[in-house]
């Protein structure tokens, strides 16, 4: 796709919002499924929460690190302006996949343990997911 074809960015945003809504829908379904159930734990309540929160923090850090690494190295690439759209798309896909993996794991753990605490972390992770959304300003800053 050419850089001057603005539809690639609209498609990227559509994919982003689709992923966000899918995560939200999964979390809502899990919330309805676990209501009224007695929580179970893998180890104990506090340890489970620390492990999943630590995992979530590591995934946010990983997404941030990869995003910054790609941002720093983009200008060193040959013909970076011609490949700007595909490079930005790849960066967005990678960082969103990392954050979404943490969100889906937290939701699955909530389903397995009937525990609402991982779902509370899911809400925070969706905020982080939204923070990593693709924006025209970010694209312009990196590739112009």
């Amino acid at each position: 796709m050419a850089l001057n074809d603005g539809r690639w960015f609209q498609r990227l945003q559509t994919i982003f919002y689709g992923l966000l809504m899918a995560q939200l829908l999964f979390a809502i379904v899990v919330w309805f499924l676990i209501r009224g159930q007695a929580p179970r734990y893998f180890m104990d309540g506090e340890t489970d929460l620390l492990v999943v929160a630590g995992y979530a923090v590591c995934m946010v850090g990983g997404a941030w690190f990869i995003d910054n690494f790609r941002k720093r190295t983009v200008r060193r690439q040959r013909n970076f302006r011609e490949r700007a759209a595909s490079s930005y798309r790849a960066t967005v896909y990678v960082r969103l996949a990392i954050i979404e993996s943490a969100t889906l794991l937290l939701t699955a753990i909530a389903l397995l343990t009937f525990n609402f605490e991982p779902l509370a972390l899911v809400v925070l992770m969706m905020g982080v997911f939204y923070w990593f959304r693709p924006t025209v300003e970010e694209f312009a800053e990196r590739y112009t």
Side-chain angles (χ1 to χ4, degrees), residues 52-117:
V52 296
Y55 175 76
V57 167
C58 287
M59 292 297 101
V60 170
W64 179 82
F65 175 77
I66 288 173
D67 188 51
N68 279 332
F69 175 76
R70 299 267 308 188
K71 182 163 71 172
R72 284 191 314 265
T73 61
V74 72
R75 296 214 185 259
R76 286 186 242 153
Q77 298 172 359
R78 283 192 325 233
N79 303 327
F80 77 92
R81 290 182 197 256
E82 289 82 24
R83 299 178 12 181
S86 63
S87 177
Y88 184 69
R89 255 194 331 262
T91 301
V92 168
Y93 289 156
V94 167
R95 70 186 187 199
L96 293 181
I98 291 170
I99 300 299
E100 185 179 17
S101 72
T103 304
L104 294 177
L105 180 67
L106 289 168
T107 308
I109 288 174
L111 180 62
L112 292 172
T113 62
F114 303 125
N115 191 353
F116 286 100
E117 291 170 345

Side-chain angles (χ1 to χ4, degrees), residues 119-136:
L119 282 181
L121 292 174
V122 166
V123 173
L124 294 174
M125 291 300 292
M126 284 191 189
V128 171
F129 190 84
Y130 186 77
W131 183 65
F132 275 112
R133 74 191 179 283
T135 63
V136 173

Side-chain angles (χ1 to χ4, degrees), residues 1-6 8 80-85 139 143-144:
M1 285 182 211
L3 179 59
N4 58 6
D5 178 14
W8 72 267
F80 77 92
R81 290 182 197 256
E82 289 82 24
R83 299 178 12 181
F139 175 75
Y143 295 97
T144 57

